Amino acid sequence: MRDGAGVPLTWQSVRAEALRRISSGEWPPGAQIPNEAEWAAELGCARTTVNRALRDLAQAGYLDRRRKGGTRVPLTPVRRATLEIAIIRQDVEARGRAYGYRLLHDAAAPAPAGIRAALRLPEGAVLRHVLALHLAAGAPYCLEDRWLNSDFAPGATFETVSANEWLVRNLAYSGGDFTFYARPADAGLAALLACPEGAALFAVDRTTFAAEAPITAVTLTYAPGYRMTTSV
Amino acid sequence: MRDGAGVPLTWQSVRAEALRRISSGEWPPGAQIPNEAEWAAELGCARTTVNRALRDLAQAGYLDRRRKGGTRVPLTPVRRATLEIAIIRQDVEARGRAYGYRLLHDAAAPAPAGIRAALRLPEGAVLRHVLALHLAAGAPYCLEDRWLNSDFAPGATFETVSANEWLVRNLAYSGGDFTFYARPADAGLAALLACPEGAALFAVDRTTFAAEAPITAVTLTYAPGYRMTTSV
DNA sequence: AAGTGGTCTAGACCACAAA
DNA sequence: TTGTGGTCTAGACCACTTG
């Protein structure tokens, strides 16, 4: 509701009003809400402004929009959180600790079945296998176990700059999957990460594709105590 | 570059062109890029369109924009991924398994120090402590250990609908933090989640605030084998 | 076939942060 | 002070999808 047309409505205020109606039950789950033109007329602002507000809410998972179908409040709400995925060096430095890096292994090898499947490669494919340790204040921080398409980055050696950093800096807007899970430390991990065998470790599997072409699959396993944080 | 003004440029195509310039090195890290008006003139489209494209790239972490300061390519790229956080019941059903739920405990109690700190509550604060088990196909799936502001949801009993589900359905647009980590199963967790003591478990700590008021702090601990996935 | 959201345009004013 | 991005408007055309 708006008096005589003094202040222009912002898209944020339209979004706030929509959220109020959703959480107050005025727009219950499953309900179709007024279309953009109606709502713009009711509020006294341009349709573009309503569009921006509702588009934002849809992106956050609070609304479901489709052409001709209109806009609805989802029956089953889904919250979306944004993870910031930085280079490991930055991650360490942001925590106020000195970063270190050691390349452990770098050689071509036949890809194991799991990696082949993740990258959709045929049997017998040969990839470049890179193993490296990231350190924080001299202590093991994260083990990087990577399989990399050999056609890609043929010149790059990962002795001083990690593959992690090299790839992030040289690959804009690539797609892929992330999987987060907990795993126990086996003997090898325990030795490299300087933790007891069987310790609970946080790990991420990541696959990367650029323009449909498989680039790399990596497992990052963090030393005990690692926590990944985000806020909404 | 656009010939005689046939097809209108879409904001996606402008974004794609900007990405090309970033990844090709035409716009190196740290460089300031042309302002919106210049770029619009060069491409032959409205400034609004350029704005939409660059705003999108900034949100994804590929550009850094500030008023008067202009738009720059960040020196240290940060990728952003979106996590979809569903109700646990939905999560289980999406994996094609039958969902089950058991309330284990629900009583008021003085909040432990860690919870008080997370919710910024004074010493001596009393909260509602809820413990519940989520099941998938009859097997333990996730343990929900929650501390809830007693002023909030006074009427709700969590016997058939979990606090997790109740809160998501009744709290629109609340803010908070998520922390993901790995933890070993202690005796209590091992018994409840039917896993060996010491097993590596995936866990999430979540705090929720609505309009600056503390609502709830919860730890979700998943049975072994759980994986959280997202794609970019 | 028709209704809805998605987007582009051209112009305008404003808020913020450098210089 | 001034340049830059942030946003609003009014109007238009289009794409998708549902009935």
Side-chain angles (χ1 to χ4, degrees):
Chain A
M1 223 75 27
R2 180 169 105 108
D3 20 359
V7 208
L9 287 182
T10 64
W11 67 269
Q12 288 98 332
S13 71
V14 174
R15 182 184 63 184
E17 172 62 13
L19 275 171
R20 192 191 63 71
R21 298 197 186 188
I22 293 170
S23 57
S24 73
E26 199 168 327
W27 289 346
Q32 180 160 1
I33 75 174
N35 70 37
E36 293 186 350
E38 280 175 39
W39 228 49
E42 181 188 331
L43 296 171
C45 67
R47 180 165 81 91
T48 319
T49 305
V50 174
N51 180 279
R52 174 91 190 260
L54 298 187
R55 188 158 35 83
D56 187 79
L57 285 175
Q59 194 180 11
Y62 288 103
L63 289 175
D64 204 18
R65 322 191 73 197
R66 32 185 83 169
R67 285 164 155 149
K68 165 76 178 176
T71 300
R72 297 177 168 277
V73 181
L75 287 169
T76 58
V78 172
R79 306 294 302 275
R80 297 204 172 88
T82 301
L83 282 181
E84 303 228 332
I85 302 177
I87 294 170
I88 297 169
R89 181 175 58 70
Q90 266 180 263
D91 185 22
V92 169
E93 289 170 352
R95 292 167 198 246
R97 303 163 75 184
Y99 175 74
Y101 170 75
R102 268 174 47 211
L103 179 64
L104 303 176
H105 178 83
D106 182 355
I115 301 293
R116 282 205 319 270
L119 293 177
R120 297 177 220 136
L121 291 171
E123 198 167 356
V126 172
L127 296 177
R128 181 173 175 187
H129 186 203
V130 179
L131 207 63
L133 192 62
H134 300 263
L135 309 164
Y141 182 77
C142 172
L143 181 70
E144 176 178 354
D145 184 351
R146 182 181 297 274
W147 293 83
L148 180 61
N149 188 330
S150 317
D151 304 338
F152 200 80
T157 117
F158 302 127
E159 277 164 24
T160 55
V161 173
S162 71
N164 172 262
E165 184 156 351
W166 193 94
L167 285 164
V168 172
R169 290 198 184 281
N170 290 278
L171 232 72
Y173 227 53
S174 48
D177 300 311
F178 293 80
T179 302
F180 304 89
Y181 57 100
R183 66 187 295 202
D186 59 26
L189 280 169
L192 288 169
L193 292 174
C195 66
E197 212 172 315
L201 304 176
F202 186 87
V204 189
D205 283 358
R206 194 193 308 195
T207 61
T208 303
F209 291 81
E212 307 296 310
I215 302 292
T216 184
V218 65
T219 298
L220 300 175
T221 307
Y222 290 84
Y226 178 80
R227 301 165 74 80
M228 184 176 77
T229 298
T230 185
S231 55
V232 180
Chain B
M1 220 74 27
R2 184 168 102 107
D3 19 0
V7 209
L9 287 181
T10 65
W11 67 269
Q12 289 99 333
S13 70
V14 175
R15 182 184 62 183
E17 172 61 13
L19 275 170
R20 193 192 62 72
R21 299 196 185 188
I22 293 171
S23 58
S24 73
E26 199 168 329
W27 290 346
Q32 180 161 359
I33 75 173
N35 69 38
E36 294 185 348
E38 281 175 40
W39 229 49
E42 182 189 330
L43 295 172
C45 67
R47 180 165 81 90
T48 319
T49 306
V50 174
N51 178 277
R52 174 90 190 259
L54 298 187
R55 188 158 35 83
D56 188 79
L57 285 175
Q59 194 179 15
Y62 288 103
L63 289 176
D64 202 17
R65 321 193 75 199
R66 35 185 79 174
R67 285 165 155 148
K68 167 75 178 176
T71 301
R72 294 177 169 280
V73 181
L75 287 169
T76 57
V78 172
R79 305 294 304 276
R80 295 204 174 87
T82 301
L83 281 181
E84 304 228 331
I85 302 176
I87 294 170
I88 296 169
R89 180 175 57 71
Q90 271 184 69
D91 184 22
V92 169
E93 288 170 351
R95 291 166 198 249
R97 303 163 74 185
Y99 176 73
Y101 171 75
R102 267 175 47 211
L103 178 63
L104 303 177
H105 178 81
D106 183 354
I115 301 293
R116 280 206 319 271
L119 293 177
R120 298 178 220 136
L121 290 171
E123 197 167 355
V126 172
L127 296 177
R128 180 172 176 187
H129 186 205
V130 179
L131 206 64
L133 193 63
H134 299 262
L135 307 164
Y141 182 76
C142 172
L143 181 69
E144 177 179 353
D145 183 351
R146 183 181 297 274
W147 294 83
L148 180 61
N149 188 330
S150 315
D151 304 337
F152 200 80
T157 117
F158 302 127
E159 277 164 25
T160 55
V161 174
S162 71
N164 172 262
E165 184 155 351
W166 194 94
L167 285 164
V168 172
R169 289 199 185 281
N170 290 278
L171 232 73
Y173 228 53
S174 48
D177 300 310
F178 294 80
T179 302
F180 305 90
Y181 57 99
R183 66 187 294 201
D186 60 25
L189 279 170
L192 288 169
L193 292 175
C195 66
E197 214 172 314
L201 305 176
F202 185 87
V204 189
D205 283 358
R206 194 191 308 194
T207 61
T208 303
F209 291 80
E212 306 298 308
I215 302 294
T216 183
V218 65
T219 298
L220 300 175
T221 307
Y222 289 84
Y226 178 80
R227 301 166 74 81
M228 184 176 76
T229 299
T230 184
S231 55
V232 181

